[in-house]
Amino acid sequence: MRYGKFDDEQREYVIDRPDTPLPWINYLGTDEYFGIVSNTAGGYSFYRDAKLRRLTRYRYNNAPFDIGGRYLYLRDDASGDFWSPSWQPTRSTLDEYECRHGLSYTRIASARSGIRAETLYFVPLGETLEVWRTKVTNERDTAAELSLFSSVEFCLWDAQDDATNFQRNFNTGQVEVVDGVIYHKTEYRERRDHFAYFACSEPLAGFDTQRETFLGAYRGWDQPAAVERGAAFDSVANGWQPMGSHHVKLSLAPGESREVIFVLGYAENPRAEKFDPPGSQTVNKRYVRPVIERWLRPETVAEGFAKLGAYWERLLGNLQVTTPDADTDRMVNIWNAYQCMVTFNMSRSASFYESGIGRGMGFRDSNQDLLGFVHIIPERARERILDIAGTQKETGGAYHQYQPLTKRGNNDIGEGFNDDPLWLVLGVSAYLKETGDLSILDAPVPFDNAPGSEVPLYEHLRRSVQYTQDRLGPHGLPLIGRADWNDCLNLNCFSETPGEPFQTTENVSGGSAESVFIAGQFVLAAKELAAIAELRALDGEAAEYRAAAEKMTGVILEHGWDGAWFRRAYDFHGNPIGSGENDEGQIFVEPQGMCVLGGVGLDDGLAAQALRSVADRLATPHGIVLQQPAYTSYRIELGEISSYPPGYKENAGIFCHTNPWIMIAEAMVGNGDGAFDYYKRINPSAREEISELHRCEPYVYAQMIAGKDAATHGEAKNSWLTGTAAWNFVAITQWILGIRPELAGLRVDPVLPGSWEGFRATRAYRGATYEITVRKPAGSSGRVAYLIVDGERVDGTVVPPAAAGKVVQVEAVVEG
Ligand code: BGC
Ligand code: NOJ
């Protein structure tokens, strides 16, 4: 069952009923000012940091699930009937409803008793504000006297404090209403640097800024007193819950439309003028007033929206494909690329499943997000790499997370995830392959942001690899630390009192548990770093990295191979995990993917054997589960993984992030049918028909789909902010379609399903444009035999780099 449809032409998903199984959301903003918006206008906004600069309040995990947002109310002043044109929060019956989620904008349209309303929400490029443009049309054959109310609830900036520190916060809220603009200035007394504003293009019949007055005591957003009585109270908040609401009266003749624009924005006074006007308690409006006036004009809004469209047209133009498969085209050309941009911007901070106050930017996560984003805006990838590397410690170790506003490592979780540093090598390598910009390696980057500690970025990469080499365990495999990629595999936990589920993490850094996953990742990273060292003419060093990779490969083959698949780890006591010797958790997906990505087992058939084991033991019609058999009880020596019920999350859920590793591995062993089959199983567009089971948005990947041991097998959870986005993009575009940036140039080496007869693609790469055509006899599962580049035959599969600005025709010929 579907709840909408794709409109590929407009690059939109069109939701045709408001009661989707879960809020189906979208993101506003591309750079600094961001918002989350659901299909019923729920969500919130923030400036740069969802924790520290939250503009509007949102209460997570509510009932109904999604309440609080950018709500408008319409009231028929003749009858007193009122409703929400976005359905929530009044949930009044709508005669028509449609929500179009597009690229960084959302449009919600509806009609009730002859009154149509259509609201466009977007953040203009380069601005720190959002626009709501509402068009109200009277489709009746009589005149309509209407009231339109806007509403937002302000957050007192630090979202965590806002949600907890009520004894203070019920006293601090302050607003100012000047010339119809509502300014939210809590914190302005002490800081005088930032405030929010909420403005409306029409003359106001009234306003409200105190939530309890607007709603009325003991009432919710579904029945605001001001809306019910048809008149605002002109309330001014002193403490409690500051909010913003405008009341506009509209008299519409039959067939008449009126456009009303609301602007919600964030302003920061220039540093030097923080205290201007001196001693004054009023917000400094000098800079913001012209901005507000500009964005309340319909021409500015129309132009700003057109620019946003052109921006996305240009970004997506960097890679467009035409294949025989509509789900592939739609995801590669539109939605997966878009999700990669969103994960790049948000890391794991703000979604409907990440509260914006928890995880900030992840060292591991953001490095992986780069893989799917770097071709979209390489300059921003460069900046991000330098930010991430600047949080690295001198030991090569990494804070697991950092705060976007301060760019400082976040001590909440600390360090000791021993895979973290290696992801930096993989992120930088992806950047170099895309751009060829070797200068980044010489960019000075501090350790732990300490001034004066700067060394070239290349030195950070060395330390990342050294970090693993300095931490090898009893079998010569890398120590796992607190956990590796699998946050929940905590193998250095033990019970101090036998039989008691007491867990200590004190010994984690010194714990002796080892990870085969990190071993595979090390082999991959060491080879990548060797290639980078060669580019710097450091041949001796390159040879050392290659030797280290080879040595680790040997260790994996000796201690990490279980007979038919790669083992996962050794626990604190030296027992294998992910082995036939275990009663549960005998085979894990991650090392099968990562070891093959590192090239382990490719020459001797072990890779193919590991992949057969994945197919036999882990694959389901809904994707590949993380491990089998699921843990049926909690086990102290395994940690959080066994805290999940079987089939969910890391305990044998379909952890989608890992599936593309297997797709890539299948492509590496030449199995195009297998790789593409796995790709389709979790492709959200291909799952649209089962939306009532899948439940999450059909246009983006979710982190997890419940596995075969779960009661709700096939149900997705935690959509949007997941490494699944970047890795699936890499799997389909670079390995299955085979258009793969390498240090030497662009490789075209697809591994396609047998039934395909080829495909076409346009790829921007290092300033030139490549028009690629792949021709393949149907039924063949062969590989590219040679390329024809601008009419000349080229042996091999690497297209020689072209001058910037050139358009290069590439034909890849697959022989039968
Ligand atoms: C989740 C993991 C997540 C981690 C983040 C765990 O509870 O299961 O998927 O990565 O929390 O801290
Ligand atoms: C989600 C986290 O963001 C990611 O870093 C981790 O690798 C996976 N969960 C698996 O535990």
Side-chain angles (χ1 to χ4, degrees), residues 306-333:
K307 279 191 182 154
L308 182 66
Y311 174 78
W312 272 109
E313 176 73 29
R314 183 164 60 72
L315 295 187
L316 294 183
N318 287 347
L319 177 58
Q320 289 288 298
V321 302
T322 311
T323 75
D325 184 66
D327 298 313
T328 302
D329 289 2
R330 173 180 290 150
M331 290 309 291
V332 169
N333 295 340

Side-chain angles (χ1 to χ4, degrees), residues 348 359 364-365 400 485-488 650 655 657 703:
R348 302 299 169 268
R359 303 211 277 146
R364 168 203 294 150
D365 294 323
H400 196 50
W485 173 90
N486 188 331
D487 286 316
C488 301
E650 282 88 342
F655 217 99
H657 185 141
Q703 181 197 55

Side-chain angles (χ1 to χ4, degrees), residues 114 135-144 252-258:
K135 187 170 155 199
V136 184
T137 304
N138 176 13
E139 293 180 339
R140 300 174 182 165
D141 46 20
T142 54
L252 298 181
E256 190 184 350
S257 291
R258 188 78 56 79

Side-chain angles (χ1 to χ4, degrees), residues 484-486 517 568 588-595 626 658 661:
D484 59 21
W485 173 90
N486 188 331
F517 173 86
R568 180 65 178 82
F588 281 66
V589 69
E590 307 99 302
Q592 321 314 324
M594 196 45 76
C595 290
L626 193 138
T658 65
W661 294 339

Side-chain angles (χ1 to χ4, degrees), residues 12-38:
E12 290 173 336
Y13 191 80
V14 190
I15 301 167
D16 55 24
R17 50 187 286 184
D19 56 341
T20 46
L22 290 165
W24 282 6
I25 75 161
N26 193 15
Y27 285 83
L28 309 177
T30 51
D31 196 1
E32 292 198 311
Y33 182 105
F34 294 106
I36 299 178
V37 60
S38 75

